[in-house]
Amino acid sequence: AAAWYDQRDGDSAIYMYDLVKKQEKRLSAPDSNSHLPSIYKETIVWSERVPDGKVDLYTYNCVTQQTRRIITPSRSGNYPDIHKNRIVYSGPGWQRYLFSDIYMYDTATDMETRIAHADYLEVPTVGGYTIYGNDVGIPKIFKNKVVRSTYPEGYIYLYDVVSGAETALVKGVMGTRSFNVYEDKLLYGDYRNYVDFLNHDVYIYDLTAEQIIMVSSLEAIPYVGCIYEDKVTWLDKRSGTLEVH
């Protein structure tokens, strides 16, 4: 199945498309504010902002056709990603809406764990303080690996779900954005060769060999990139228009 969100009915709703039956189905309730679905096998997860301003998680099982609302202890669920029974997402960090922490929710045990915490620096200025945050970004999960980025620091970190250990993998000179992980390969975008933050290069970091491989040094668009088995896709504009490569 494929899943996405759009606003065709005036609200923001989650839809799925059954590739076998060639049928489309709306998953969100009427007048919803749903965003950013992720899919693993028969399970689709998405975030939904509810009337009290908090964000809850929803899952839909394509086999049983059952929808489940997950109210996490942190009342968060932005940018969810799922693998098996684990959902990772960003949620309220320091001063709740300024910077984000990263959480993991286990649907088998109904337990939430905070696995990354945004840091910040208060710098005295005339009349008060200026806050410089180091946001922990958007998480991705595959098996026991959770990856996240920090901004503006520009590191990508790998968190091991089993050991609880976290390792800094790569640092983009101008900030590191847009990433996905599959098996031992980390796909990411790096701004090191650009100064306007409109474009980035595409790299793969081999977690086993601890080597960085450049995939494309052309004008790739940030936040876009997927890796599966031996195939990588991203957007760039080598011909002047957006193309998928």
Side-chain angles (χ1 to χ4, degrees), residues 43-55:
T43 302
I44 300 171
V45 62
W46 68 89
S47 62
E48 181 162 329
R49 188 169 297 278
V50 292
D52 64 3
K54 305 300 191 303
V55 178

Side-chain angles (χ1 to χ4, degrees), residues 51-113:
D52 64 3
K54 305 300 191 303
V55 178
D56 292 336
L57 293 170
Y58 281 79
T59 62
Y60 176 81
N61 188 295
C62 299
V63 176
T64 64
Q65 299 185 19
Q66 296 295 310
T67 301
R68 178 190 178 190
R69 179 184 181 186
I70 300 174
I71 303 176
T72 65
S74 65
R75 292 304 305 278
S76 59
N78 292 310
Y79 306 105
D81 195 33
I82 184 172
H83 186 85
K84 293 186 177 179
N85 57 297
R86 297 186 179 114
I87 303 172
V88 293
Y89 47 94
S90 66
W94 181 77
Q95 288 204 0
R96 187 166 185 91
Y97 297 110
L98 290 181
F99 311 114
S100 298
D101 291 346
I102 299 297
Y103 294 85
M104 180 175 66
Y105 189 87
D106 191 318
T107 59
T109 62
D110 288 329
M111 296 291 293
E112 182 183 60
T113 305

Side-chain angles (χ1 to χ4, degrees), residues 38-45 59 80-89 104-108 139-147 161 181-183 228:
S38 179
I39 187 169
Y40 175 76
K41 293 188 175 179
E42 70 275 5
T43 302
I44 300 171
V45 62
T59 62
D81 195 33
I82 184 172
H83 186 85
K84 293 186 177 179
N85 57 297
R86 297 186 179 114
I87 303 172
V88 293
Y89 47 94
M104 180 175 66
Y105 189 87
D106 191 318
T107 59
K140 296 290 183 180
I141 185 171
F142 185 81
K143 293 185 177 178
N144 293 324
K145 304 180 183 74
V146 179
V147 293
V161 173
V181 63
Y182 179 80
E183 297 290 358
Y228 182 76

Side-chain angles (χ1 to χ4, degrees), residues 94 99 117-122 131-134:
W94 181 77
F99 311 114
H117 179 58
D119 54 11
Y120 65 94
L121 178 65
E122 293 184 347
I131 307 300
Y132 293 92
N134 192 37

Side-chain angles (χ1 to χ4, degrees), residues 124-175:
T125 60
V126 176
Y129 289 87
T130 299
I131 307 300
Y132 293 92
N134 192 37
D135 207 359
V136 295
I138 300 169
K140 296 290 183 180
I141 185 171
F142 185 81
K143 293 185 177 178
N144 293 324
K145 304 180 183 74
V146 179
V147 293
R148 66 178 181 89
S149 66
T150 56
Y151 182 81
E153 180 188 44
Y155 276 98
I156 290 182
Y157 288 89
L158 173 70
Y159 177 85
D160 188 295
V161 173
V162 177
S163 67
E166 187 172 65
T167 306
L169 297 179
V170 292
K171 183 180 189 303
V173 176
M174 295 294 291

